[in-house]
Every structure is written in structure tokens, then in C-alpha cells.
Amino acid sequence: MPVSQAHKADLLLLVVTLLASISWMFSREAVLAMPPLLFMSLRFLLAASLLAMVAHRQLRRLSARQLFRCVRVGAVFGIAMSCWVMGLAMAEHVGEGAFLTSLGVVLVPVIARLIFAEPVPGSTWLALPVAAAGLALLSLEQGLHLEAGQLFFVAAATIFALYFNLNTRAANTISTTDRNGNPIEHPRIPALALTTVVLAVVGVLTGSLSAIFEPWGEAAANATFELAIWVILSATVGTALRFLVQTYAQSLSLHSHGVVIMVLEPMWTALMAAAWFGEQMTLMQLAGCALIFLSLLVNRWRAVRSLLKQALSRVSTHH
């Protein structure tokens, strides 16, 4: 893959981490005032509707096989999001939730290796424990408390890792073999169409679960203009824009280990939460941020080394 493509994917995933951390604030405000699954359904259906207005031509061109792949990705993602939002609603320690959910990013290369036999560079295996240690220092200041909410976050993290891999494979052209060993090529699904269908499936799935398990009458009675703003911001910035950019970035490379850059999300979340609620970051949290940055340098060591060589050669030529 050309270096420019890799750098473009990294930059876009960096933008995704910022959008995702902002979305944590919107989601937290919204689930305090309405049932969590209902919020997720409204958020994702609104986002899918907005994208469908732009994606209608791409959607009409999808084959039945491509549509099935989109729905499969959406179903896995919907289950993960349902677990995540239940954890968010039940957890008393949001920092721990951020840590456990973020482990999903650390698990992406592991799932890629175990399920899809994808080769993973040695630098990524070195970076993963450093990233996990950084996440722990950033989020677990008061230790890890075993409670129901945390179990939902652990389940969400594992399923998120599977979703990332399926989404990457759907957004790229991949070749597989049938039972007789004949090669089958699965053409890539355009990022806009893929994102639209995936978000719609998540909206329908979470809405169905909400209709079964949650009271809607109370939510309608508590509806306010401020709550509507949180839902709209979550749908536009935190969902439609975020997942479209993420899927496009994933379409630039079939290698899932690049997603490790998204380990930055909880760091931005902690910084924004500190600004939002007027909190101060501890030395332990700052050390966690440093470890997260170190893990990214380790994961991207080849690119870092080439940049250093270029910088040193320029300095030597000037002298």
C-alpha cells in the first residue's frame, strides 16, 4: 500500500477518535434523561436517514450478497452497541467503562489473527500491552470494580473487535475460497452505502430491544428541547460523520492493525471530561496518556524511523 494511503488512513482515524470522544459527552447527557436503548435507536436511525439522502444511488446498486454483508456487519455492531449503552447506563464509574470498551481496539489485531488468519506485524504485538497499560493508568485510578455494568462493557469490547474486522473486510475487496477450493472474489462495498445500512440495522435492532424492555411513555413525558439537541448532536457528529469517516479510513487498507490508532479515543475522552466537568487530571492519568502515545510510536515504528532518517539527512545536508 502506498505510504500516502497509510498516512491518510491514520489521519482520518485520528479524526474519528476526536469525534468519538465528543460523542461520549453527548451520549452521557442523553442517557441520563431517557432509556438508553431508545436513545441508541433514535440516534442511529436519524443518522442512517441523513446518510441515505446522499447514498440512495449507491444503495440501489448493491447486490443481494453485498446487502447481506452490510446487514451482518450491522447486526454485530448493533449487539455491541446495545451492550455498551447498557453498561453506560448501569456503570457508576465512567472511567472504567472507557477503559474496558477501549480494550476492543486492542483486541482488533488479536481477533484478526485468530478468526481471519490475518498476519499481524511484530511491532503491533509489542504495542498492544503498552496500550493496555496506558489505558489502565488513564482510567482505573480507583481500581477495577466488578459490577454488572462492567460485564456489559467487556462484552461490548469483544464484539466491537469483531465488528472492526468485519467492517474492514466489507469495505475492501477480499478473496476467499469455496468448499472445493475455488477462489471467490467479494467486491468492496462503497463506504457511504456500507455505513448507511450498518447504522440502519443498529437502529432497528436497538429499537426492537427497547420496545421489549423499556418504557416509552415516561421518555415521551420527559422529552425536552435540550434532550432533543443531545440526540441530534449524537446522530450527526457522533454517529453519521464519525462512522462514515471511520469506514472510509478502513476502506484504505485491508490490514486491521492500523485501527490501533483509535486507542487515543479514551485519552481525548478524559481530557474533554476534565474540561466539561472542571476536573483535574492526575499524574497517573498523564502517565497513561504518555504510554498510549508510546504504544502508537511502537506500532508505527517503521514510519517513525523513516521520518527520523529523513529529518537527520536534511540536517546533515544543511551542515
Side-chain angles (χ1 to χ4, degrees), residues 229-250:
I229 294 297
W230 292 128
V231 173
I232 291 168
L233 285 172
S234 291
T236 52
V237 178
T239 310
L241 181 59
R242 171 198 170 178
F243 289 109
L244 179 58
V245 174
Q246 178 185 307
T247 302
Y248 177 65
Q250 289 181 268

Side-chain angles (χ1 to χ4, degrees), residues 1 6 9-10 13 103-121 123-125 127-128 160-172 174 246-247 249-263 296 299-300:
M1 183 180 66
D10 282 354
L13 288 173
L103 289 180
V105 176
V106 175
L107 289 172
V108 169
V110 180
I111 295 289
R113 186 77 187 104
L114 291 176
I115 296 180
F116 302 107
E118 182 184 308
V120 178
S123 58
T124 299
W125 293 120
L128 296 184
F160 273 136
L162 178 60
Y163 152 71
F164 276 124
N165 279 282
L166 290 174
N167 202 44
T168 298
R169 293 170 73 81
N172 289 271
I174 58 169
Q246 178 185 307
T247 302
Q250 289 181 268
S251 74
L252 298 176
S253 170
L254 186 54
H255 300 296
S256 62
H257 55 263
V259 178
V260 172
I261 200 168
M262 291 184 67
V263 80
L296 293 181
N299 190 46
R300 285 288 183 276

Side-chain angles (χ1 to χ4, degrees), residues 14-217:
L14 182 61
V15 171
V16 170
T17 63
L18 287 166
L19 293 173
S21 59
I22 295 169
S23 183
W24 264 87
M25 302 300 115
F26 301 154
S27 299
R28 186 62 179 169
E29 293 286 355
V31 296
L32 291 174
M34 69 184 295
L37 289 169
L38 178 60
F39 161 66
M40 295 303 287
S41 182
L42 291 175
R43 167 187 168 183
F44 277 83
L45 287 176
L46 180 56
S49 301
L50 292 170
L51 291 179
M53 293 177 191
V54 187
H56 58 91
R57 284 189 185 137
Q58 286 188 5
L59 291 169
R60 283 200 296 268
R61 290 195 208 106
L62 291 179
S63 66
R65 186 185 289 270
Q66 286 178 314
L67 185 59
F68 171 76
R69 290 172 69 197
C70 292
V71 171
R72 182 178 62 177
V73 176
V76 171
F77 189 28
I79 295 167
M81 290 303 288
S82 299
C83 291
W84 174 78
V85 81
M86 290 304 296
L88 191 65
M90 294 172 66
E92 296 178 13
H93 306 88
V94 179
E96 293 174 27
F99 164 69
L100 293 170
T101 306
S102 301
L103 289 180
V105 176
V106 175
L107 289 172
V108 169
V110 180
I111 295 289
R113 186 77 187 104
L114 291 176
I115 296 180
F116 302 107
E118 182 184 308
V120 178
S123 58
T124 299
W125 293 120
L126 290 173
L128 296 184
V130 179
L135 290 169
L137 288 177
L138 180 63
S139 310
L140 301 181
E141 190 178 358
Q142 297 174 339
L144 187 61
H145 302 82
L146 291 176
E147 55 188 36
Q150 312 303 12
L151 296 177
F152 275 112
F153 282 130
V154 170
T158 308
I159 304 168
F160 273 136
L162 178 60
Y163 152 71
F164 276 124
N165 279 282
L166 290 174
N167 202 44
T168 298
R169 293 170 73 81
N172 289 271
T173 299
I174 58 169
S175 295
T176 58
T177 54
D178 61 18
R179 291 178 182 177
N180 299 321
N182 300 315
I184 305 172
E185 187 171 88
H186 304 275
R188 62 180 289 277
I189 301 166
L192 184 57
L194 174 59
T195 308
T196 304
V197 177
V198 166
L199 298 188
V201 171
V202 174
V204 171
L205 183 60
T206 51
S208 302
L209 291 172
S210 175
I212 297 168
F213 296 112
E214 294 177 338
W216 285 10

